[in-house]
Amino acid sequence: MSNQSLKAFRAAFLDFVADPFYQPEAESVRYIPDGLMVLENGKVKELGTYDALKERYPDIPVMAYPGQLIMPGFIDTHIHFPQTGMIAAYGEQLLEWLSQYVFPTERKFKDKAYAQEVASVFLDELLKNGTTTALVFAAVFPESAEAFFEAADRRNLRMIAGKVMMDRNAPDFLVDTPESSYQDTRALIEKWHKKGRLLYAVTPRFAPTSSQEQLRLAGKLLQEYPDVYLHTHISENPNEVAWVKELFPECNGYLDTYDQAGLVKERSVFAHGIHLTDAEFQRLSEAQAAIAFCPTSNLFLGSGLFKIEQAKSVEYPVKVGLGTDVGAGTSFSLLQTANEAYKVAQLRRQKLSPFQALFLATLGGAKALCLEETIGNFDPGKEADFIVLDRRSTPLMAFRNPDPIPESLEELADQAFSLIIMGDDRAVKATYIMGELAYDRG
Ligand SMILES: [Zn+2]
């Protein structure tokens, strides 16, 4: 084979080969202080120490990032692209926040040109923050999903998205019908699912804004297209949970409103899950469904503290990824999201180690999205979406984290923790998509 399709990166490498919630960190963390990652056609061919690999690839171009840390791109398992411009909306909790801020904002996304403009800003922001894959809500209008998919496709990004389905308890200008949502979603799946790197998620906003008939048709879509996703919200706020009880008296709790429609399965991702019952955690575990833990949003809207230790229990393990949930979330940065996840755990007298948090942001997110065969770490054959992290991106971080790069896992854990607590978009020096530079901090 000619070496022309090969290239390599030299830096320190950090990724995960197992789940540090269940395996010792020495077995789940892969750390190579002076590593070489060889890529072929945008995919990982080999990762090893520089010394071991340099002689086997004498002639290939090597991009070196001395003193920097290369990690897999971050994975955001729950975010709303139409809410990019209304981040940081003051004063309300979930239901009032939706009607006061979100619904008027999402109305604008019927205009495709506007949706295109916001999709572009949104994707720039993701890449700048080191996020290379996200599970994304569009608005109710098919045009909004079209605009997003077009923008993501142009950048060759692995993105999952869907048009919102909502047929009640929302303003007239924002509702579809069960039949129109079914037909529109079907057309979008046919057009975009598996086009390039794109994937589709059937996306009812949440149980209160969907009739039973609409949820039933969402389930029908999942049957007709077994490898599309289901993406929605669950048990975020106590008033919301009480409202769902009123709206669905025949259901046995919030999750059951989805379960009765056939929406609880592998490839189903439920954002929040703060007020889930033990039985609901157990059901999610059995169904191999996932939860998107969105700490900045949960704190911002005063929704509550997610029970990470229950989701990651040995008896009923539930797949968990991190979600920014912008615009209720307050940052596009998965580092800042991990920061708040750590504090949520602290308030519950739990610990979230830096490696556990970074696992959630990478391989854990990939597992939550059933994409662990494709992205999430640097195993051979994975798509080479990765980021270059700067441990010394501000004067204070440079003071705290002296050169050179740590040799030991213990020292690395300490510096990785500082990246989580102090780092943000400034800590992302570069973002690569399929081995190609997509963002450079300069
Ligand atoms: Zn959300």
Side-chain angles (χ1 to χ4, degrees):
M1 150 121 11
S2 139
N3 275 355
Q4 283 181 349
S5 62
L6 299 180
K7 61 175 160 179
F9 292 82
R10 183 182 183 182
F13 287 84
L14 168 64
D15 69 343
F16 297 89
V17 293
D19 185 339
F21 286 89
Y22 301 107
Q23 304 288 329
E25 293 192 333
E27 290 165 28
S28 50
V29 180
R30 171 163 54 191
Y31 178 54
I32 307 174
D34 183 14
L36 190 73
M37 182 164 70
V38 181
L39 307 185
E40 185 173 31
N41 299 324
K43 292 187 176 172
V44 178
K45 182 175 169 64
E46 201 166 359
L47 169 66
T49 64
Y50 179 74
D51 280 346
L53 291 186
K54 67 181 173 194
E55 259 135 52
R56 291 189 22 225
Y57 299 97
D59 299 325
I60 63 175
V62 176
M63 177 75 183
Y65 284 105
Q68 311 286 357
L69 187 64
I70 290 185
M71 281 196 70
F74 292 140
I75 296 171
D76 187 339
T77 59
H78 179 66
I79 187 166
H80 301 251
F81 102 82
Q83 297 174 18
T84 302
M86 52 140 295
I87 191 170
Y90 173 76
E92 303 298 343
Q93 296 218 345
L94 175 66
L95 299 176
E96 298 73 26
W97 173 84
L98 278 171
S99 51
Q100 191 167 330
Y101 297 113
V102 174
F103 292 159
T105 298
E106 292 196 359
R107 179 180 202 171
K108 299 185 222 161
F109 285 76
K110 187 163 179 47
D111 175 358
K112 188 168 173 192
Y114 182 72
Q116 284 169 324
E117 194 185 320
V118 177
S120 177
V121 172
F122 174 85
L123 291 174
D124 284 348
E125 205 57 37
L126 288 189
L127 293 176
K128 185 180 172 196
N129 281 278
T131 298
T132 51
T133 288
L135 176 58
V136 181
F137 263 66
V140 72
F141 312 106
E143 298 88 332
S144 67
E146 291 275 355
F148 178 79
F149 281 126
E150 284 166 15
D153 194 37
R154 259 198 309 279
R155 296 162 195 244
N156 196 27
L157 300 176
R158 186 159 285 290
M159 290 282 158
I160 313 170
K163 168 206 120 64
V164 169
M165 303 167 79
M166 52 195 298
D167 66 351
R168 64 171 176 171
N169 294 319
D172 289 346
F173 56 77
L174 220 53
V175 292
D176 52 18
T177 68
E179 185 57 24
S180 77
S181 69
Y182 171 79
Q183 294 298 347
D184 288 344
T185 298
R186 207 165 196 284
L188 287 165
I189 292 171
E190 292 283 345
K191 184 164 177 192
W192 293 105
H193 185 57
K194 294 184 174 170
K195 177 171 193 308
R197 304 181 76 202
L198 303 173
L199 297 164
Y200 197 87
V202 173
T203 309
R205 178 180 288 279
F206 66 154
T209 49
S210 284
S211 63
Q212 253 168 341
E213 177 62 3
Q214 185 168 57
L215 294 178
R216 189 186 70 77
L217 287 171
K220 187 169 178 228
L221 287 163
L222 297 189
Q223 275 185 347
E224 290 168 343
Y225 300 95
D227 59 358
V228 302
Y229 292 81
L230 183 282
H231 184 198
T232 190
H233 299 90
I234 194 165
S235 296
E236 178 175 0
N237 171 291
N239 293 340
E240 170 213 13
V241 176
W243 192 24
V244 169
K245 225 175 219 166
E246 276 171 41
L247 290 169
F248 295 85
E250 68 292 347
C251 287
N252 182 24
Y254 201 150
L255 184 64
D256 196 41
T257 65
Y258 299 133
D259 216 353
Q260 289 198 13
L263 302 180
V264 182
K265 55 183 250 323
E266 210 185 3
R267 285 193 179 74
S268 297
V269 181
F270 298 94
H272 309 303
I274 295 167
H275 307 286
L276 291 171
T277 64
D278 293 351
E280 287 173 324
F281 270 109
Q282 190 175 331
R283 172 68 189 126
L284 289 171
S285 174
E286 285 161 2
Q288 297 185 60
I291 297 175
F293 173 21
C294 309
T296 77
S297 165
N298 299 160
L299 295 171
F300 179 74
L301 291 180
S303 302
L305 307 174
F306 179 63
K307 298 172 195 153
I308 183 77
E309 76 289 354
Q310 183 164 9
K312 300 298 284 186
S313 76
V314 173
E315 204 181 5
Y316 299 113
V318 179
K319 293 189 275 190
V320 179
L322 288 178
T324 61
D325 195 25
V326 165
T330 53
S331 170
F332 277 81
S333 169
L334 264 301
L335 292 172
Q336 278 308 295
T337 305
N339 173 357
E340 299 302 303
Y342 172 80
K343 294 172 190 167
V344 166
Q346 279 281 48
L347 284 166
R348 305 197 63 260
R349 304 290 177 264
Q350 299 291 322
K351 279 204 173 100
L352 182 68
S353 81
F355 290 137
Q356 287 172 337
L358 290 173
F359 168 82
L360 292 178
T362 55
L363 187 60
K367 284 174 185 281
L369 301 181
C370 298
L371 286 174
E372 71 270 27
E373 303 299 322
T374 311
I375 53 172
N377 69 8
F378 296 133
D379 283 349
K382 296 276 180 99
E383 296 171 347
D385 292 348
F386 62 90
I387 57 179
V388 182
L389 286 171
D390 181 358
R391 302 163 296 127
R392 312 180 74 226
S393 60
T394 67
L396 182 57
M397 288 176 78
F399 182 63
R400 187 200 186 279
N401 296 330
D403 259 343
I405 196 96
E407 287 291 330
S408 73
L409 207 55
E410 199 181 11
E411 206 188 336
L412 176 70
D414 171 65
Q415 294 203 10
F417 188 59
S418 81
L419 260 175
I420 289 168
I421 301 304
M422 303 166 76
D424 50 30
D425 57 308
R426 292 168 295 179
V428 178
K429 189 172 170 55
T431 302
Y432 283 83
I433 298 298
M434 296 293 281
E436 301 292 330
L437 184 67
Y439 164 77
D440 191 315
R441 193 187 62 194

